[in-house]
Amino acid sequence: MSVWFRHLTTDRWIVSQPELKDVPFVLAAPERGRMVIKAVNVRAEVMGIENGMVVADARAVLPALLVFDYKPGFAEKLLLAFGTWCIRFTPIVSVDPPDGLILDITGCTHLWGGERAYLKDIVNRIRGAGYDVRAAIADTIGTAWAVCRFGTVTPLIPPEGEQAALSALPPAALRLEADTLERMQKLGFYQIRNFMNIPRSVLRRRFGPHLLYRMDQALGAEEELIDPIRPVEPYQERLSSLEPIRTATGINIALRKLLEALCGRLSKEGKGLRKGVFMGYRMDGKIEQIEIGTNSASCHVEHLFRLFELKVSSIEPALGIELFILEAPVVEELDQMQETLWNITGNNNQSEITELLDRLTGRGGMQIVHRYLPDAHYWPERSVKEAVSIQEKPQIEWRTDKPRPVSLLPKPERIEVAALQPDYPPAVFRHQGKVYHIRKADGPERIEQEWWIEEGLHRDYYCVEDMKGARYWIFRLGHYNEDKEDMPEWFIHGFFA
Amino acid sequence: MYQRAIHNDMVEKLQKDILSLQGFRVPAEGQRISFGLGAIENAFPNRIFPTGAIHELLSDTRENAAATTGFVAGLLGSIMQKGGICLWISNKRTLFPPALKFFGIEPDKIIFIDVQNEKDLLWMVEEALKCQALSAVVGELKEISLTESRRLQLAVEQSRVTGFLHRFNPKNTHTIASVARWKISQLPSETEKGMPGVGFSRWHVELLKVRNGEPGSWKLQWSAGRFEHVIRYKVTKPEPDLMNIA
């Protein structure tokens, strides 16, 4: 189905400023030093003003003409908004610049009781919003486009009826380039039927392959694909409501129904949801949406419902929601083996834990859960790495050969020290204005900087204990130098239990 | 005599019933976890360190917080010996995971939840305590009210999960619904005479409050992967603490 907005931008101006309705006006933009008309409203069009005219010429024709600035990109934005709105009629909608939409309505019309009612509903709704619009339904995009813009008989083209529908239309209906059209005009091809039956080789020699390609597209010999504004997710469920839904209970019922359908499909295919999006298309054209993520693939209706339930309150139904869509943009294979492989809970309760984690991340965000695995680095900050999943197992053993503090400062903090001899552990250190007298010390443990990761000096770690019994992990950065003025820096890095 | 014995038996049985109503259940023989706390366990009713309950631990300085973390890690090591997952929920976590291995815990079996908002944190601790699949939950937070702690208590009564609430420098130290309140501080370690270096981690363990038990204080050290009472403690004058050491 093709939809054509005849005066897209000017209609928008009239919608926002109703007093312009009966005044001829145009939108113009500077081009090569002249003001060129980019859009014309109905009134001005009747007076003979056309797109592409220079404003000065148009003023000569119609002195009362009003001229406003044409904003580039405005029409595209409007079209996209209309396209998004049309998703309530079919999931596959694409924008057809500069002023049209293409809808793939295969299998959608029966919900409205046939193609005629479907077309009427769309056109009436858009007209109701104040836009002058035409639409046509055909089996090919090319024919729908042509009939939508040039058709005079009926907007509904039956299957196999393309040829008959096109024959009376002008060549411009085939979406041809301007110079081809001009040449056809010169040759007297005013209607498509004039050249439809000319041998293809002759047409190719005369007009190039583009004409044949467009004709084939219109007649269905060549396939034409559309690029939907929102790609259709393979795992998507839709539920449209007879009456707009405004209550939380209603939304919950819709959500549960969709979840049941989606989870049933997922579990049949042995897959589970990792990310879910629940969208509500509101009466006023806005889309409300909530998202959830899970820590491991799940197709458990109750669990997913509870995750969504935490967020349902953020949906504002306003006048009511007409259509609910549940999508699973990220799905993964359900791992049947995972419980036996990773039986660290001891009692096969892993799903309970991942469900708990899902609830926690539902409230706090995905970034709050951390799990660590040992990494083959001595440098303390790099000796652990974050596990990517709850199932990941350590590749190497955790080390216990060197002392490590239970509490590690996120960043080492500077301390001032006094040592009895160079290369000895310090006797006294001062940290944040407090002085600590050291009684016992272990070390040093030298940890070299890994030059292939980061440049820097090595650290000599000491484990020290002060008079009160508090145990610290401190280090000296680099060597003692002969040069007295260049003393090495000391840092405190952690606290032992 | 005979009648009196019956009487005693009855009183004992009634006491046990009351205790179990209060949440101190005697675990079945096979399920009992040995914490190796020795004399400290005598301070609790039934002479068993209560699991499936909330323990509250207070600390004031960063040094003592580290000691408290060590003590909790030692207890967790016993709880998680048979495998299991622990949730460590905090908003200002400084815990260095590799250190847990020294307390007999596989650090990869701890899932850390780092959440900024203290209100969310409390909700998450409660949700976690409701989850029977977990072995233990550690919550590092500052403030908790009596009502909030009661909710946690109700959660563990259902799920039998052990919870540790580590409160660093709380403003309010009024009673909360916990089975025990601990305070752990660091003590100077000791090495064999004349040997250099730092000895085993040594703590002053104070049991400030315990429901239906006797508070007390002890000196413990963590050596060779278990708790050890320090008896041979060098003192110039006798300390009252020594009275409590069995």
Side-chain angles (χ1 to χ4, degrees):
Chain A
M1 169 163 162
S2 175
V3 179
W4 179 37
F5 295 90
R6 294 168 77 177
H7 308 279
L8 180 67
T9 40
T10 48
D11 281 345
R12 177 75 186 90
W13 275 78
I14 292 169
V15 168
S16 58
Q17 296 171 51
E19 67 273 14
L20 289 174
K21 195 164 184 273
D22 297 320
V23 189
F25 73 97
V26 295
L27 304 179
E31 201 178 287
R32 291 193 214 126
R34 310 166 302 172
M35 289 300 278
V36 176
I37 293 174
K38 295 284 181 188
V40 187
N41 79 337
V42 188
R43 277 283 160 155
E45 205 175 46
V46 171
M47 305 290 194
I49 312 287
E50 277 171 20
N51 269 356
M53 278 172 92
V54 180
V55 170
D57 296 348
R59 279 244 168 85
V61 177
L62 189 73
L65 186 71
L66 290 175
V67 180
F68 299 105
D69 280 344
Y70 174 83
K71 279 176 252 143
F74 182 61
E76 287 77 5
K77 246 163 88 185
L78 260 177
L79 265 187
L80 194 65
F82 268 111
T84 319
W85 179 82
C86 281
I87 289 181
R88 70 195 57 208
F89 295 104
T90 167
I92 307 166
V93 177
S94 100
V95 173
D96 174 26
D99 51 7
L101 295 173
I102 305 277
L103 281 64
D104 183 349
I105 57 167
T106 317
C108 295
T109 50
H110 72 275
L111 298 170
W112 273 260
E115 286 180 350
R116 186 166 293 276
Y118 185 81
L119 187 119
K120 243 185 171 166
D121 190 29
I122 295 186
V123 170
N124 285 346
R125 276 179 191 238
I126 300 179
R127 285 211 178 126
Y131 291 85
D132 187 8
V133 74
R134 281 174 63 106
I137 294 176
D139 274 9
T140 64
I141 296 174
T143 307
W145 194 93
V147 174
C148 173
R149 278 152 182 82
F150 297 96
T152 45
V153 189
T154 167
L156 302 174
I157 308 302
E160 314 283 323
E162 289 90 5
Q163 199 155 353
L166 285 175
S167 59
L169 303 182
L174 284 176
R175 296 178 286 174
L176 299 174
E177 285 141 356
D179 53 336
T180 317
L181 288 176
E182 207 174 315
R183 223 171 315 144
M184 290 192 148
Q185 190 77 18
K186 276 185 193 155
L187 292 170
F189 290 151
Y190 302 126
Q191 285 182 330
I192 294 177
R193 71 157 74 99
N194 298 146
F195 57 88
M196 214 175 217
N197 297 319
I198 295 178
R200 293 169 68 85
S201 54
V202 178
L203 283 179
R204 182 179 288 118
R205 206 165 56 227
R206 207 46 93 143
F207 302 105
H210 191 70
L211 169 69
L212 290 175
Y213 180 67
R214 284 301 197 193
M215 265 172 72
D216 286 347
Q217 277 187 340
L219 296 173
E222 187 85 33
E223 199 177 1
E224 187 177 359
L225 297 173
I226 65 174
D227 178 24
I229 47 175
R230 185 161 305 150
V232 183
E233 297 291 340
Y235 293 97
Q236 189 198 53
E237 292 293 332
R238 297 162 69 93
L239 182 73
S240 38
S241 36
L242 288 171
E243 295 269 317
I245 286 181
R246 293 167 61 184
T247 59
T249 341
I251 294 172
N252 280 342
I253 292 169
L255 176 59
R256 190 176 283 275
K257 268 200 162 163
L258 287 172
L259 271 174
E260 275 163 9
L262 187 71
C263 288
R265 210 177 123 203
L266 284 173
S267 67
K268 250 186 232 157
E269 295 176 31
K271 289 195 164 64
L273 178 147
R274 282 299 303 268
K275 198 173 150 199
V277 185
F278 178 61
M279 287 179 285
Y281 283 72
R282 263 168 37 178
M283 289 275 284
D284 54 1
K286 288 216 177 68
I287 301 170
E288 291 284 316
Q289 99 177 50
I290 50 176
E291 274 187 47
I292 56 143
T294 61
N295 284 287
S296 68
S298 164
C299 59
H300 187 196
V301 177
E302 274 307 312
H303 171 55
L304 295 173
F305 181 73
R306 250 177 288 144
L307 292 181
F308 272 119
E309 205 181 16
L310 292 171
K311 295 186 175 171
V312 161
S313 57
S314 69
I315 294 182
E316 283 175 37
L319 286 172
I321 294 172
E322 294 180 304
L323 170 70
F324 293 97
I325 292 183
L326 179 69
E327 280 177 6
V330 185
V331 292
E332 272 179 13
E333 296 290 324
L334 260 190
D335 196 354
Q336 301 292 342
M337 295 292 287
Q338 64 193 18
E339 278 178 22
T340 44
L341 269 179
W342 192 74
N343 192 5
I344 66 168
T345 55
N347 42 8
N348 276 335
N349 278 340
Q350 201 206 327
S351 59
E352 244 178 89
I353 292 177
T354 49
E355 285 181 15
L356 167 74
L357 291 179
D358 290 344
R359 279 203 298 281
L360 300 190
T361 49
R363 173 131 171 194
M366 283 308 275
Q367 74 288 350
I368 64 164
V369 177
H370 302 279
R371 193 173 151 256
Y372 297 96
L373 297 176
D375 206 355
H377 292 285
Y378 282 104
W379 198 255
E381 284 92 335
R382 288 193 277 269
S383 62
V384 291
K385 62 177 175 191
E386 201 151 314
V388 273
S389 76
I390 296 296
Q391 281 84 10
E392 197 178 348
K393 280 181 287 183
Q395 301 293 321
I396 49 172
E397 281 286 301
W398 291 95
R399 307 177 64 106
T400 51
D401 49 346
K402 293 283 194 299
R404 288 291 175 265
V406 286
S407 150
L408 190 80
L409 293 170
K411 222 177 140 192
E413 288 168 18
R414 272 296 294 274
I415 53 173
E416 287 163 48
V417 303
L420 296 176
Q421 287 177 35
D423 272 344
Y424 255 52
V428 175
F429 74 86
R430 189 209 300 263
H431 177 226
Q432 292 177 347
K434 261 175 83 183
V435 178
Y436 302 84
H437 293 272
I438 291 166
R439 275 295 183 73
K440 299 191 178 82
D442 262 334
E445 180 196 350
R446 173 161 298 180
I447 303 181
E448 291 285 349
Q449 177 64 270
E450 293 151 310
W451 54 264
W452 58 94
I453 300 174
E454 197 183 332
E455 295 269 326
L457 297 166
H458 66 255
R459 294 171 174 179
D460 281 337
Y461 275 98
Y462 292 89
C463 166
V464 297
E465 185 180 291
D466 78 346
M467 277 161 68
K468 281 179 272 167
R471 287 166 280 273
Y472 306 94
W473 208 35
I474 61 174
F475 69 85
R476 187 186 63 224
L477 194 66
H479 290 286
Y480 265 107
N481 274 338
E482 296 299 310
D483 189 2
K484 281 262 152 104
E485 281 160 32
D486 186 24
M487 293 296 276
E489 292 178 321
W490 284 82
F491 293 88
I492 179 168
H493 202 180
F495 303 89
F496 285 96
Chain B
M1 264 314 269
Y2 179 68
Q3 276 220 325
R4 200 172 187 184
I6 290 179
H7 195 73
N8 273 351
D9 276 358
M10 241 162 90
V11 169
E12 216 166 88
K13 194 181 169 298
L14 279 173
Q15 255 168 353
K16 270 204 174 136
D17 284 352
I18 293 170
L19 282 175
S20 72
L21 285 176
Q22 285 176 329
F24 291 95
R25 263 172 260 174
V26 186
E29 212 39 56
Q31 287 175 353
R32 199 171 153 182
I33 300 166
S34 147
F35 286 93
L37 282 170
I40 299 180
E41 292 185 28
N42 294 343
F44 292 103
N46 297 337
R47 304 187 167 225
I48 293 166
F49 180 87
T51 52
I54 306 270
H55 291 264
E56 183 195 10
L57 302 105
L58 302 178
S59 66
D60 44 5
T61 59
R62 289 204 278 189
E63 290 84 350
N64 287 340
T68 311
T69 307
F71 182 70
V72 170
L75 296 172
L76 277 184
S78 310
I79 295 176
M80 291 169 68
Q81 216 151 42
K82 285 187 192 155
I85 298 266
C86 167
L87 234 60
W88 195 292
I89 307 173
S90 67
N91 57 1
K92 284 190 195 78
R93 180 168 58 88
T94 56
L95 180 82
F96 188 45
L100 293 171
K101 182 73 186 174
F102 295 85
F103 296 94
I105 303 169
E106 292 294 326
D108 51 282
K109 291 190 181 174
I110 299 217
I111 297 169
F112 295 96
I113 310 283
D114 295 309
V115 59
Q116 292 306 312
N117 186 340
E118 192 133 316
K119 230 178 179 173
D120 283 350
L121 196 150
L122 208 60
W123 177 83
M124 288 181 188
V125 170
E126 190 186 330
E127 284 293 307
L129 285 172
K130 280 181 195 162
C131 179
Q132 293 181 9
L134 293 172
S135 312
V137 175
V138 181
E140 292 182 326
L141 49 99
K142 231 175 149 85
E143 308 297 339
I144 181 168
S145 70
L146 178 64
T147 330
E148 287 158 346
S149 68
R150 271 196 184 132
R151 290 179 64 96
L152 304 187
Q153 181 66 36
L154 287 173
V156 296
E157 273 173 23
Q158 283 289 321
S159 66
R160 313 298 297 156
V161 175
T162 312
F164 296 98
L165 295 182
H166 180 182
R167 303 176 66 196
F168 180 69
N169 252 340
K171 279 195 210 99
N172 268 320
T173 51
H174 51 68
T175 315
I176 65 162
S178 62
V179 72
R181 171 178 281 184
W182 303 80
K183 189 170 193 286
I184 320 291
S185 37
Q186 288 185 315
L187 281 182
S189 65
E190 231 178 277
T191 46
E192 290 291 321
K193 216 170 187 172
M195 294 294 278
V198 180
F200 296 121
S201 295
R202 190 173 281 199
W203 307 306
H204 184 63
V205 176
E206 287 170 274
L207 191 49
L208 301 173
K209 279 179 192 161
V210 49
R211 212 193 288 157
N212 297 314
E214 282 170 55
S217 72
W218 300 268
K219 289 185 168 61
L220 279 186
Q221 71 177 13
W222 182 260
S223 74
R226 59 193 184 85
F227 292 110
E228 197 178 76
H229 278 270
V230 181
I231 304 165
R232 202 166 36 79
Y233 189 62
K234 245 193 287 170
V235 274
T236 42
K237 52 186 177 188
E239 280 190 11
D241 290 342
L242 282 173
M243 307 293 287
N244 281 321
I245 292 170

